[in-house]
PDB file of all heavy atoms in Angstrom:
ATOM      1  N   TYR A  19      -2.734   0.388  -8.943  1.00 91.00           N
ATOM      2  CA  TYR A  19      -2.852   1.569  -8.085  1.00 91.00           C
ATOM      3  C   TYR A  19      -2.703   2.840  -8.915  1.00 91.00           C
ATOM      4  O   TYR A  19      -2.015   2.816  -9.935  1.00 91.00           O
ATOM      5  CB  TYR A  19      -1.819   1.517  -6.948  1.00 91.00           C
ATOM      6  CG  TYR A  19      -0.405   1.914  -7.336  1.00 91.00           C
ATOM      7  CD1 TYR A  19       0.005   3.259  -7.346  1.00 91.00           C
ATOM      8  CD2 TYR A  19       0.532   0.953  -7.701  1.00 91.00           C
ATOM      9  CE1 TYR A  19       1.290   3.620  -7.697  1.00 91.00           C
ATOM     10  CE2 TYR A  19       1.823   1.310  -8.052  1.00 91.00           C
ATOM     11  CZ  TYR A  19       2.198   2.641  -8.051  1.00 91.00           C
ATOM     12  OH  TYR A  19       3.472   2.999  -8.403  1.00 91.00           O
ATOM     13  N   PRO A  20      -3.347   3.925  -8.509  1.00 91.00           N
ATOM     14  CA  PRO A  20      -4.243   4.064  -7.352  1.00 91.00           C
ATOM     15  C   PRO A  20      -5.596   3.392  -7.608  1.00 91.00           C
ATOM     16  O   PRO A  20      -6.205   3.606  -8.656  1.00 91.00           O
ATOM     17  CB  PRO A  20      -4.397   5.582  -7.208  1.00 91.00           C
ATOM     18  CG  PRO A  20      -4.145   6.126  -8.575  1.00 91.00           C
ATOM     19  CD  PRO A  20      -3.134   5.214  -9.211  1.00 91.00           C
ATOM     20  N   ALA A  21      -6.032   2.586  -6.648  1.00 90.00           N
ATOM     21  CA  ALA A  21      -7.269   1.822  -6.779  1.00 90.00           C
ATOM     22  C   ALA A  21      -8.468   2.726  -6.466  1.00 90.00           C
ATOM     23  O   ALA A  21      -8.469   3.399  -5.433  1.00 90.00           O
ATOM     24  CB  ALA A  21      -7.248   0.632  -5.830  1.00 90.00           C
ATOM     25  N   PRO A  22      -9.473   2.754  -7.326  1.00 89.00           N
ATOM     26  CA  PRO A  22     -10.629   3.642  -7.120  1.00 89.00           C
ATOM     27  C   PRO A  22     -11.312   3.475  -5.761  1.00 89.00           C
ATOM     28  O   PRO A  22     -11.679   4.470  -5.129  1.00 89.00           O
ATOM     29  CB  PRO A  22     -11.576   3.255  -8.262  1.00 89.00           C
ATOM     30  CG  PRO A  22     -10.659   2.774  -9.341  1.00 89.00           C
ATOM     31  CD  PRO A  22      -9.556   2.040  -8.613  1.00 89.00           C
ATOM     32  N   ASN A  23     -11.482   2.218  -5.305  1.00 92.00           N
ATOM     33  CA  ASN A  23     -12.173   2.024  -4.024  1.00 92.00           C
ATOM     34  C   ASN A  23     -11.327   2.498  -2.845  1.00 92.00           C
ATOM     35  O   ASN A  23     -11.848   2.941  -1.826  1.00 92.00           O
ATOM     36  CB  ASN A  23     -12.621   0.571  -3.830  1.00 92.00           C
ATOM     37  CG  ASN A  23     -11.519  -0.447  -4.025  1.00 92.00           C
ATOM     38  OD1 ASN A  23     -10.396  -0.115  -4.401  1.00 92.00           O
ATOM     39  ND2 ASN A  23     -11.839  -1.712  -3.794  1.00 92.00           N
ATOM     40  N   VAL A  24      -9.992   2.431  -2.994  1.00 94.00           N
ATOM     41  CA  VAL A  24      -9.114   2.931  -1.926  1.00 94.00           C
ATOM     42  C   VAL A  24      -9.113   4.463  -1.934  1.00 94.00           C
ATOM     43  O   VAL A  24      -9.100   5.092  -0.871  1.00 94.00           O
ATOM     44  CB  VAL A  24      -7.687   2.383  -2.076  1.00 94.00           C
ATOM     45  CG1 VAL A  24      -6.798   2.861  -0.923  1.00 94.00           C
ATOM     46  CG2 VAL A  24      -7.694   0.850  -2.113  1.00 94.00           C
ATOM     47  N   ILE A  25      -9.132   5.049  -3.115  1.00 94.00           N
ATOM     48  CA  ILE A  25      -9.220   6.515  -3.216  1.00 94.00           C
ATOM     49  C   ILE A  25     -10.487   7.007  -2.522  1.00 94.00           C
ATOM     50  O   ILE A  25     -10.458   7.966  -1.740  1.00 94.00           O
ATOM     51  CB  ILE A  25      -9.235   6.954  -4.696  1.00 94.00           C
ATOM     52  CG1 ILE A  25      -7.886   6.691  -5.350  1.00 94.00           C
ATOM     53  CG2 ILE A  25      -9.603   8.432  -4.814  1.00 94.00           C
ATOM     54  CD1 ILE A  25      -7.860   6.978  -6.837  1.00 94.00           C
ATOM     55  N   GLU A  26     -11.605   6.326  -2.789  1.00 94.00           N
ATOM     56  CA  GLU A  26     -12.889   6.718  -2.197  1.00 94.00           C
ATOM     57  C   GLU A  26     -12.870   6.579  -0.683  1.00 94.00           C
ATOM     58  O   GLU A  26     -13.327   7.469   0.043  1.00 94.00           O
ATOM     59  CB  GLU A  26     -14.012   5.864  -2.789  1.00 94.00           C
ATOM     60  CG  GLU A  26     -15.400   6.256  -2.309  1.00 94.00           C
ATOM     61  CD  GLU A  26     -16.497   5.361  -2.862  1.00 94.00           C
ATOM     62  OE1 GLU A  26     -16.195   4.466  -3.688  1.00 94.00           O
ATOM     63  OE2 GLU A  26     -17.671   5.542  -2.465  1.00 94.00           O
ATOM     64  N   ALA A  27     -12.321   5.452  -0.209  1.00 95.00           N
ATOM     65  CA  ALA A  27     -12.277   5.220   1.243  1.00 95.00           C
ATOM     66  C   ALA A  27     -11.362   6.227   1.936  1.00 95.00           C
ATOM     67  O   ALA A  27     -11.688   6.745   3.010  1.00 95.00           O
ATOM     68  CB  ALA A  27     -11.801   3.799   1.522  1.00 95.00           C
ATOM     69  N   ALA A  28     -10.223   6.508   1.326  1.00 95.00           N
ATOM     70  CA  ALA A  28      -9.271   7.444   1.923  1.00 95.00           C
ATOM     71  C   ALA A  28      -9.838   8.852   1.994  1.00 95.00           C
ATOM     72  O   ALA A  28      -9.610   9.588   2.970  1.00 95.00           O
ATOM     73  CB  ALA A  28      -7.972   7.436   1.116  1.00 95.00           C
ATOM     74  N   ALA A  29     -10.588   9.238   0.970  1.00 94.00           N
ATOM     75  CA  ALA A  29     -11.149  10.592   0.930  1.00 94.00           C
ATOM     76  C   ALA A  29     -12.348  10.745   1.855  1.00 94.00           C
ATOM     77  O   ALA A  29     -12.538  11.805   2.469  1.00 94.00           O
ATOM     78  CB  ALA A  29     -11.553  10.939  -0.499  1.00 94.00           C
ATOM     79  N   GLY A  30     -13.155   9.687   1.975  1.00 89.00           N
ATOM     80  CA  GLY A  30     -14.390   9.802   2.726  1.00 89.00           C
ATOM     81  C   GLY A  30     -14.312   9.391   4.176  1.00 89.00           C
ATOM     82  O   GLY A  30     -15.049   9.918   5.019  1.00 89.00           O
ATOM     83  N   THR A  31     -13.436   8.453   4.490  1.00 89.00           N
ATOM     84  CA  THR A  31     -13.384   7.901   5.846  1.00 89.00           C
ATOM     85  C   THR A  31     -12.043   8.142   6.525  1.00 89.00           C
ATOM     86  O   THR A  31     -11.959   8.373   7.724  1.00 89.00           O
ATOM     87  CB  THR A  31     -13.650   6.375   5.808  1.00 89.00           C
ATOM     88  OG1 THR A  31     -14.884   6.140   5.134  1.00 89.00           O
ATOM     89  CG2 THR A  31     -13.731   5.799   7.203  1.00 89.00           C
ATOM     90  N   GLY A  32     -10.983   8.079   5.735  1.00 91.00           N
ATOM     91  CA  GLY A  32      -9.638   8.108   6.293  1.00 91.00           C
ATOM     92  C   GLY A  32      -9.187   6.691   6.540  1.00 91.00           C
ATOM     93  O   GLY A  32      -9.870   5.925   7.233  1.00 91.00           O
ATOM     94  N   VAL A  33      -8.081   6.300   5.923  1.00 96.00           N
ATOM     95  CA  VAL A  33      -7.642   4.908   6.038  1.00 96.00           C
ATOM     96  C   VAL A  33      -6.139   4.819   6.269  1.00 96.00           C
ATOM     97  O   VAL A  33      -5.389   5.769   6.029  1.00 96.00           O
ATOM     98  CB  VAL A  33      -7.982   4.106   4.754  1.00 96.00           C
ATOM     99  CG1 VAL A  33      -9.480   4.068   4.510  1.00 96.00           C
ATOM    100  CG2 VAL A  33      -7.238   4.655   3.537  1.00 96.00           C
ATOM    101  N   THR A  34      -5.736   3.638   6.714  1.00 96.00           N
ATOM    102  CA  THR A  34      -4.332   3.261   6.788  1.00 96.00           C
ATOM    103  C   THR A  34      -4.151   2.044   5.893  1.00 96.00           C
ATOM    104  O   THR A  34      -4.855   1.043   6.061  1.00 96.00           O
ATOM    105  CB  THR A  34      -3.921   2.883   8.229  1.00 96.00           C
ATOM    106  OG1 THR A  34      -4.097   4.018   9.078  1.00 96.00           O
ATOM    107  CG2 THR A  34      -2.469   2.425   8.278  1.00 96.00           C
ATOM    108  N   VAL A  35      -3.264   2.130   4.925  1.00 97.00           N
ATOM    109  CA  VAL A  35      -2.955   0.991   4.060  1.00 97.00           C
ATOM    110  C   VAL A  35      -1.675   0.356   4.598  1.00 97.00           C
ATOM    111  O   VAL A  35      -0.633   1.023   4.689  1.00 97.00           O
ATOM    112  CB  VAL A  35      -2.776   1.419   2.598  1.00 97.00           C
ATOM    113  CG1 VAL A  35      -2.502   0.198   1.725  1.00 97.00           C
ATOM    114  CG2 VAL A  35      -4.018   2.146   2.102  1.00 97.00           C
ATOM    115  N   LEU A  36      -1.769  -0.913   4.984  1.00 97.00           N
ATOM    116  CA  LEU A  36      -0.656  -1.575   5.654  1.00 97.00           C
ATOM    117  C   LEU A  36       0.517  -1.870   4.727  1.00 97.00           C
ATOM    118  O   LEU A  36       0.338  -2.207   3.561  1.00 97.00           O
ATOM    119  CB  LEU A  36      -1.132  -2.888   6.283  1.00 97.00           C
ATOM    120  CG  LEU A  36      -2.261  -2.786   7.316  1.00 97.00           C
ATOM    121  CD1 LEU A  36      -2.555  -4.170   7.894  1.00 97.00           C
ATOM    122  CD2 LEU A  36      -1.902  -1.803   8.428  1.00 97.00           C
ATOM    123  N   SER A  37       1.709  -1.749   5.302  1.00 98.00           N
ATOM    124  CA  SER A  37       2.933  -2.150   4.603  1.00 98.00           C
ATOM    125  C   SER A  37       3.360  -3.522   5.084  1.00 98.00           C
ATOM    126  O   SER A  37       3.069  -3.922   6.222  1.00 98.00           O
ATOM    127  CB  SER A  37       4.060  -1.150   4.877  1.00 98.00           C
ATOM    128  OG  SER A  37       3.949  -0.005   4.068  1.00 98.00           O
ATOM    129  N   LEU A  38       4.058  -4.250   4.217  1.00 97.00           N
ATOM    130  CA  LEU A  38       4.602  -5.555   4.561  1.00 97.00           C
ATOM    131  C   LEU A  38       6.100  -5.419   4.812  1.00 97.00           C
ATOM    132  O   LEU A  38       6.782  -4.609   4.157  1.00 97.00           O
ATOM    133  CB  LEU A  38       4.381  -6.575   3.447  1.00 97.00           C
ATOM    134  CG  LEU A  38       2.990  -7.206   3.324  1.00 97.00           C
ATOM    135  CD1 LEU A  38       1.988  -6.212   2.759  1.00 97.00           C
ATOM    136  CD2 LEU A  38       3.032  -8.462   2.457  1.00 97.00           C
ATOM    137  N   SER A  39       6.606  -6.211   5.742  1.00 96.00           N
ATOM    138  CA  SER A  39       8.055  -6.240   5.985  1.00 96.00           C
ATOM    139  C   SER A  39       8.725  -7.062   4.891  1.00 96.00           C
ATOM    140  O   SER A  39       8.058  -7.800   4.150  1.00 96.00           O
ATOM    141  CB  SER A  39       8.358  -6.865   7.344  1.00 96.00           C
ATOM    142  OG  SER A  39       8.006  -8.251   7.335  1.00 96.00           O
ATOM    143  N   ASP A  40      10.030  -6.956   4.783  1.00 96.00           N
ATOM    144  CA  ASP A  40      10.767  -7.739   3.781  1.00 96.00           C
ATOM    145  C   ASP A  40      10.573  -9.232   4.007  1.00 96.00           C
ATOM    146  O   ASP A  40      10.462 -10.012   3.060  1.00 96.00           O
ATOM    147  CB  ASP A  40      12.260  -7.386   3.821  1.00 96.00           C
ATOM    148  CG  ASP A  40      12.535  -5.992   3.275  1.00 96.00           C
ATOM    149  OD1 ASP A  40      11.655  -5.431   2.585  1.00 96.00           O
ATOM    150  OD2 ASP A  40      13.627  -5.459   3.549  1.00 96.00           O
ATOM    151  N   ASP A  41      10.506  -9.629   5.284  1.00 97.00           N
ATOM    152  CA  ASP A  41      10.307 -11.046   5.608  1.00 97.00           C
ATOM    153  C   ASP A  41       8.922 -11.508   5.170  1.00 97.00           C
ATOM    154  O   ASP A  41       8.766 -12.604   4.617  1.00 97.00           O
ATOM    155  CB  ASP A  41      10.486 -11.272   7.114  1.00 97.00           C
ATOM    156  CG  ASP A  41      10.282 -12.727   7.501  1.00 97.00           C
ATOM    157  OD1 ASP A  41      11.031 -13.580   6.988  1.00 97.00           O
ATOM    158  OD2 ASP A  41       9.366 -13.013   8.306  1.00 97.00           O
ATOM    159  N   GLN A  42       7.920 -10.676   5.401  1.00 97.00           N
ATOM    160  CA  GLN A  42       6.556 -11.029   4.986  1.00 97.00           C
ATOM    161  C   GLN A  42       6.454 -11.123   3.458  1.00 97.00           C
ATOM    162  O   GLN A  42       5.801 -12.021   2.929  1.00 97.00           O
ATOM    163  CB  GLN A  42       5.572  -9.993   5.525  1.00 97.00           C
ATOM    164  CG  GLN A  42       5.342 -10.098   7.034  1.00 97.00           C
ATOM    165  CD  GLN A  42       4.530  -8.946   7.586  1.00 97.00           C
ATOM    166  OE1 GLN A  42       4.580  -7.829   7.064  1.00 97.00           O
ATOM    167  NE2 GLN A  42       3.777  -9.203   8.644  1.00 97.00           N
ATOM    168  N   ILE A  43       7.095 -10.209   2.763  1.00 97.00           N
ATOM    169  CA  ILE A  43       7.088 -10.251   1.301  1.00 97.00           C
ATOM    170  C   ILE A  43       7.732 -11.536   0.812  1.00 97.00           C
ATOM    171  O   ILE A  43       7.232 -12.191  -0.116  1.00 97.00           O
ATOM    172  CB  ILE A  43       7.816  -9.018   0.722  1.00 97.00           C
ATOM    173  CG1 ILE A  43       6.994  -7.754   0.998  1.00 97.00           C
ATOM    174  CG2 ILE A  43       8.041  -9.177  -0.785  1.00 97.00           C
ATOM    175  CD1 ILE A  43       7.698  -6.466   0.637  1.00 97.00           C
ATOM    176  N   ALA A  44       8.832 -11.928   1.447  1.00 97.00           N
ATOM    177  CA  ALA A  44       9.511 -13.176   1.071  1.00 97.00           C
ATOM    178  C   ALA A  44       8.590 -14.373   1.266  1.00 97.00           C
ATOM    179  O   ALA A  44       8.579 -15.306   0.450  1.00 97.00           O
ATOM    180  CB  ALA A  44      10.790 -13.338   1.878  1.00 97.00           C
ATOM    181  N   GLN A  45       7.802 -14.360   2.339  1.00 97.00           N
ATOM    182  CA  GLN A  45       6.878 -15.461   2.604  1.00 97.00           C
ATOM    183  C   GLN A  45       5.799 -15.571   1.522  1.00 97.00           C
ATOM    184  O   GLN A  45       5.378 -16.663   1.167  1.00 97.00           O
ATOM    185  CB  GLN A  45       6.200 -15.263   3.964  1.00 97.00           C
ATOM    186  CG  GLN A  45       7.112 -15.462   5.170  1.00 97.00           C
ATOM    187  CD  GLN A  45       6.336 -15.280   6.467  1.00 97.00           C
ATOM    188  OE1 GLN A  45       5.371 -15.987   6.740  1.00 97.00           O
ATOM    189  NE2 GLN A  45       6.746 -14.303   7.269  1.00 97.00           N
ATOM    190  N   THR A  46       5.355 -14.435   1.001  1.00 97.00           N
ATOM    191  CA  THR A  46       4.293 -14.457  -0.002  1.00 97.00           C
ATOM    192  C   THR A  46       4.783 -14.950  -1.355  1.00 97.00           C
ATOM    193  O   THR A  46       3.989 -15.379  -2.189  1.00 97.00           O
ATOM    194  CB  THR A  46       3.693 -13.049  -0.203  1.00 97.00           C
ATOM    195  OG1 THR A  46       4.663 -12.187  -0.817  1.00 97.00           O
ATOM    196  CG2 THR A  46       3.230 -12.457   1.114  1.00 97.00           C
ATOM    197  N   LYS A  47       6.099 -14.837  -1.598  1.00 94.00           N
ATOM    198  CA  LYS A  47       6.711 -15.213  -2.889  1.00 94.00           C
ATOM    199  C   LYS A  47       6.147 -14.389  -4.046  1.00 94.00           C
ATOM    200  O   LYS A  47       6.087 -14.842  -5.186  1.00 94.00           O
ATOM    201  CB  LYS A  47       6.524 -16.715  -3.156  1.00 94.00           C
ATOM    202  CG  LYS A  47       7.210 -17.593  -2.111  1.00 94.00           C
ATOM    203  CD  LYS A  47       7.033 -19.064  -2.418  1.00 94.00           C
ATOM    204  CE  LYS A  47       7.730 -19.915  -1.359  1.00 94.00           C
ATOM    205  NZ  LYS A  47       7.568 -21.376  -1.605  1.00 94.00           N
ATOM    206  N   ARG A  48       5.753 -13.163  -3.732  1.00 94.00           N
ATOM    207  CA  ARG A  48       5.274 -12.234  -4.750  1.00 94.00           C
ATOM    208  C   ARG A  48       6.294 -11.117  -4.960  1.00 94.00           C
ATOM    209  O   ARG A  48       7.218 -10.940  -4.157  1.00 94.00           O
ATOM    210  CB  ARG A  48       3.930 -11.614  -4.345  1.00 94.00           C
ATOM    211  CG  ARG A  48       2.777 -12.599  -4.266  1.00 94.00           C
ATOM    212  CD  ARG A  48       2.444 -13.193  -5.618  1.00 94.00           C
ATOM    213  NE  ARG A  48       1.231 -14.017  -5.561  1.00 94.00           N
ATOM    214  CZ  ARG A  48       0.843 -14.823  -6.518  1.00 94.00           C
ATOM    215  NH1 ARG A  48       1.568 -14.924  -7.633  1.00 94.00           N
ATOM    216  NH2 ARG A  48      -0.259 -15.550  -6.403  1.00 94.00           N
ATOM    217  N   ALA A  49       6.106 -10.354  -6.019  1.00 92.00           N
ATOM    218  CA  ALA A  49       7.006  -9.245  -6.321  1.00 92.00           C
ATOM    219  C   ALA A  49       6.766  -8.088  -5.356  1.00 92.00           C
ATOM    220  O   ALA A  49       5.632  -7.789  -4.987  1.00 92.00           O
ATOM    221  CB  ALA A  49       6.795  -8.773  -7.757  1.00 92.00           C
ATOM    222  N   ARG A  50       7.843  -7.457  -4.933  1.00 93.00           N
ATOM    223  CA  ARG A  50       7.759  -6.284  -4.060  1.00 93.00           C
ATOM    224  C   ARG A  50       7.376  -5.062  -4.896  1.00 93.00           C
ATOM    225  O   ARG A  50       7.862  -4.872  -6.002  1.00 93.00           O
ATOM    226  CB  ARG A  50       9.115  -6.052  -3.387  1.00 93.00           C
ATOM    227  CG  ARG A  50       9.179  -4.906  -2.383  1.00 93.00           C
ATOM    228  CD  ARG A  50      10.593  -4.820  -1.814  1.00 93.00           C
ATOM    229  NE  ARG A  50      10.721  -3.866  -0.722  1.00 93.00           N
ATOM    230  CZ  ARG A  50      10.985  -2.561  -0.885  1.00 93.00           C
ATOM    231  NH1 ARG A  50      11.148  -2.078  -2.117  1.00 93.00           N
ATOM    232  NH2 ARG A  50      11.103  -1.746   0.153  1.00 93.00           N
ATOM    233  N   LEU A  51       6.495  -4.230  -4.334  1.00 93.00           N
ATOM    234  CA  LEU A  51       6.085  -3.020  -5.033  1.00 93.00           C
ATOM    235  C   LEU A  51       5.898  -1.904  -4.013  1.00 93.00           C
ATOM    236  O   LEU A  51       5.402  -2.132  -2.903  1.00 93.00           O
ATOM    237  CB  LEU A  51       4.790  -3.259  -5.811  1.00 93.00           C
ATOM    238  CG  LEU A  51       4.308  -2.117  -6.703  1.00 93.00           C
ATOM    239  CD1 LEU A  51       3.687  -2.658  -8.005  1.00 93.00           C
ATOM    240  CD2 LEU A  51       3.277  -1.236  -5.982  1.00 93.00           C
ATOM    241  N   VAL A  52       6.297  -0.700  -4.385  1.00 93.00           N
ATOM    242  CA  VAL A  52       6.163   0.460  -3.502  1.00 93.00           C
ATOM    243  C   VAL A  52       5.144   1.433  -4.080  1.00 93.00           C
ATOM    244  O   VAL A  52       5.276   1.879  -5.223  1.00 93.00           O
ATOM    245  CB  VAL A  52       7.516   1.173  -3.315  1.00 93.00           C
ATOM    246  CG1 VAL A  52       7.343   2.432  -2.462  1.00 93.00           C
ATOM    247  CG2 VAL A  52       8.533   0.242  -2.668  1.00 93.00           C
ATOM    248  N   ILE A  53       4.117   1.733  -3.288  1.00 94.00           N
ATOM    249  CA  ILE A  53       3.137   2.760  -3.652  1.00 94.00           C
ATOM    250  C   ILE A  53       3.644   4.069  -3.058  1.00 94.00           C
ATOM    251  O   ILE A  53       3.751   4.200  -1.840  1.00 94.00           O
ATOM    252  CB  ILE A  53       1.747   2.422  -3.089  1.00 94.00           C
ATOM    253  CG1 ILE A  53       1.263   1.061  -3.614  1.00 94.00           C
ATOM    254  CG2 ILE A  53       0.748   3.515  -3.436  1.00 94.00           C
ATOM    255  CD1 ILE A  53      -0.045   0.591  -3.002  1.00 94.00           C
ATOM    256  N   PRO A  54       3.999   5.033  -3.885  1.00 93.00           N
ATOM    257  CA  PRO A  54       4.626   6.267  -3.386  1.00 93.00           C
ATOM    258  C   PRO A  54       3.740   7.048  -2.421  1.00 93.00           C
ATOM    259  O   PRO A  54       2.506   7.028  -2.517  1.00 93.00           O
ATOM    260  CB  PRO A  54       4.876   7.076  -4.669  1.00 93.00           C
ATOM    261  CG  PRO A  54       4.841   6.082  -5.773  1.00 93.00           C
ATOM    262  CD  PRO A  54       3.854   5.035  -5.349  1.00 93.00           C
ATOM    263  N   ALA A  55       4.395   7.732  -1.492  1.00 94.00           N
ATOM    264  CA  ALA A  55       3.681   8.613  -0.564  1.00 94.00           C
ATOM    265  C   ALA A  55       2.848   9.621  -1.358  1.00 94.00           C
ATOM    266  O   ALA A  55       3.258  10.082  -2.423  1.00 94.00           O
ATOM    267  CB  ALA A  55       4.677   9.337   0.322  1.00 94.00           C
ATOM    268  N   GLY A  56       1.672   9.928  -0.836  1.00 94.00           N
ATOM    269  CA  GLY A  56       0.808  10.897  -1.496  1.00 94.00           C
ATOM    270  C   GLY A  56      -0.116  10.306  -2.536  1.00 94.00           C
ATOM    271  O   GLY A  56      -0.933  11.024  -3.124  1.00 94.00           O
ATOM    272  N   THR A  57      -0.019   9.002  -2.763  1.00 94.00           N
ATOM    273  CA  THR A  57      -0.917   8.372  -3.742  1.00 94.00           C
ATOM    274  C   THR A  57      -2.361   8.454  -3.274  1.00 94.00           C
ATOM    275  O   THR A  57      -3.277   8.692  -4.068  1.00 94.00           O
ATOM    276  CB  THR A  57      -0.516   6.905  -3.975  1.00 94.00           C
ATOM    277  OG1 THR A  57       0.809   6.853  -4.509  1.00 94.00           O
ATOM    278  CG2 THR A  57      -1.464   6.217  -4.945  1.00 94.00           C
ATOM    279  N   TYR A  58      -2.560   8.259  -1.969  1.00 96.00           N
ATOM    280  CA  TYR A  58      -3.904   8.330  -1.390  1.00 96.00           C
ATOM    281  C   TYR A  58      -3.958   9.457  -0.363  1.00 96.00           C
ATOM    282  O   TYR A  58      -2.930   9.816   0.244  1.00 96.00           O
ATOM    283  CB  TYR A  58      -4.268   7.004  -0.725  1.00 96.00           C
ATOM    284  CG  TYR A  58      -4.276   5.831  -1.688  1.00 96.00           C
ATOM    285  CD1 TYR A  58      -3.331   4.808  -1.600  1.00 96.00           C
ATOM    286  CD2 TYR A  58      -5.215   5.761  -2.713  1.00 96.00           C
ATOM    287  CE1 TYR A  58      -3.332   3.738  -2.487  1.00 96.00           C
ATOM    288  CE2 TYR A  58      -5.222   4.701  -3.608  1.00 96.00           C
ATOM    289  CZ  TYR A  58      -4.276   3.697  -3.499  1.00 96.00           C
ATOM    290  OH  TYR A  58      -4.277   2.657  -4.390  1.00 96.00           O
ATOM    291  N   ALA A  59      -5.141   9.995  -0.145  1.00 95.00           N
ATOM    292  CA  ALA A  59      -5.327  11.073   0.832  1.00 95.00           C
ATOM    293  C   ALA A  59      -4.852  10.629   2.214  1.00 95.00           C
ATOM    294  O   ALA A  59      -5.187   9.537   2.667  1.00 95.00           O
ATOM    295  CB  ALA A  59      -6.800  11.474   0.885  1.00 95.00           C
ATOM    296  N   GLY A  60      -4.037  11.458   2.837  1.00 93.00           N
ATOM    297  CA  GLY A  60      -3.541  11.154   4.177  1.00 93.00           C
ATOM    298  C   GLY A  60      -2.367  10.199   4.225  1.00 93.00           C
ATOM    299  O   GLY A  60      -1.899   9.845   5.311  1.00 93.00           O
ATOM    300  N   GLN A  61      -1.871   9.778   3.076  1.00 95.00           N
ATOM    301  CA  GLN A  61      -0.743   8.839   3.023  1.00 95.00           C
ATOM    302  C   GLN A  61       0.569   9.622   2.997  1.00 95.00           C
ATOM    303  O   GLN A  61       0.982  10.135   1.973  1.00 95.00           O
ATOM    304  CB  GLN A  61      -0.843   7.937   1.790  1.00 95.00           C
ATOM    305  CG  GLN A  61       0.301   6.937   1.667  1.00 95.00           C
ATOM    306  CD  GLN A  61       0.474   6.416   0.251  1.00 95.00           C
ATOM    307  OE1 GLN A  61      -0.429   6.506  -0.573  1.00 95.00           O
ATOM    308  NE2 GLN A  61       1.654   5.886  -0.039  1.00 95.00           N
ATOM    309  N   ASP A  62       1.226   9.677   4.149  1.00 94.00           N
ATOM    310  CA  ASP A  62       2.427  10.506   4.285  1.00 94.00           C
ATOM    311  C   ASP A  62       3.720   9.774   3.950  1.00 94.00           C
ATOM    312  O   ASP A  62       4.774  10.397   3.823  1.00 94.00           O
ATOM    313  CB  ASP A  62       2.523  11.056   5.719  1.00 94.00           C
ATOM    314  CG  ASP A  62       1.333  11.938   6.067  1.00 94.00           C
ATOM    315  OD1 ASP A  62       0.851  12.652   5.162  1.00 94.00           O
ATOM    316  OD2 ASP A  62       0.888  11.909   7.226  1.00 94.00           O
ATOM    317  N   SER A  63       3.654   8.456   3.852  1.00 95.00           N
ATOM    318  CA  SER A  63       4.883   7.695   3.568  1.00 95.00           C
ATOM    319  C   SER A  63       4.595   6.608   2.536  1.00 95.00           C
ATOM    320  O   SER A  63       3.433   6.289   2.253  1.00 95.00           O
ATOM    321  CB  SER A  63       5.428   7.061   4.852  1.00 95.00           C
ATOM    322  OG  SER A  63       4.458   6.217   5.455  1.00 95.00           O
ATOM    323  N   ASP A  64       5.670   6.051   1.992  1.00 96.00           N
ATOM    324  CA  ASP A  64       5.522   4.976   1.013  1.00 96.00           C
ATOM    325  C   ASP A  64       4.840   3.764   1.633  1.00 96.00           C
ATOM    326  O   ASP A  64       5.008   3.487   2.830  1.00 96.00           O
ATOM    327  CB  ASP A  64       6.893   4.539   0.479  1.00 96.00           C
ATOM    328  CG  ASP A  64       7.560   5.595  -0.381  1.00 96.00           C
ATOM    329  OD1 ASP A  64       6.890   6.569  -0.761  1.00 96.00           O
ATOM    330  OD2 ASP A  64       8.764   5.449  -0.668  1.00 96.00           O
ATOM    331  N   ILE A  65       4.087   3.046   0.818  1.00 97.00           N
ATOM    332  CA  ILE A  65       3.489   1.771   1.231  1.00 97.00           C
ATOM    333  C   ILE A  65       4.251   0.662   0.516  1.00 97.00           C
ATOM    334  O   ILE A  65       4.351   0.659  -0.710  1.00 97.00           O
ATOM    335  CB  ILE A  65       1.998   1.694   0.845  1.00 97.00           C
ATOM    336  CG1 ILE A  65       1.200   2.791   1.547  1.00 97.00           C
ATOM    337  CG2 ILE A  65       1.424   0.313   1.177  1.00 97.00           C
ATOM    338  CD1 ILE A  65      -0.185   3.011   0.952  1.00 97.00           C
ATOM    339  N   VAL A  66       4.800  -0.262   1.292  1.00 97.00           N
ATOM    340  CA  VAL A  66       5.524  -1.401   0.710  1.00 97.00           C
ATOM    341  C   VAL A  66       4.577  -2.593   0.700  1.00 97.00           C
ATOM    342  O   VAL A  66       4.102  -3.041   1.740  1.00 97.00           O
ATOM    343  CB  VAL A  66       6.788  -1.737   1.528  1.00 97.00           C
ATOM    344  CG1 VAL A  66       7.524  -2.913   0.886  1.00 97.00           C
ATOM    345  CG2 VAL A  66       7.708  -0.525   1.612  1.00 97.00           C
TER     346      VAL A  66
END
């Protein structure tokens, strides 16, 4: 991140990038990562 295709979509269309809950992250068995607010156009809060 920031991913070029997400930057393009956010600027041209407006998007919502979904966050995962702690329980969902545990189910995936992947590392937790936070994309800071403001990374993409219209993103007012952190994405987990």
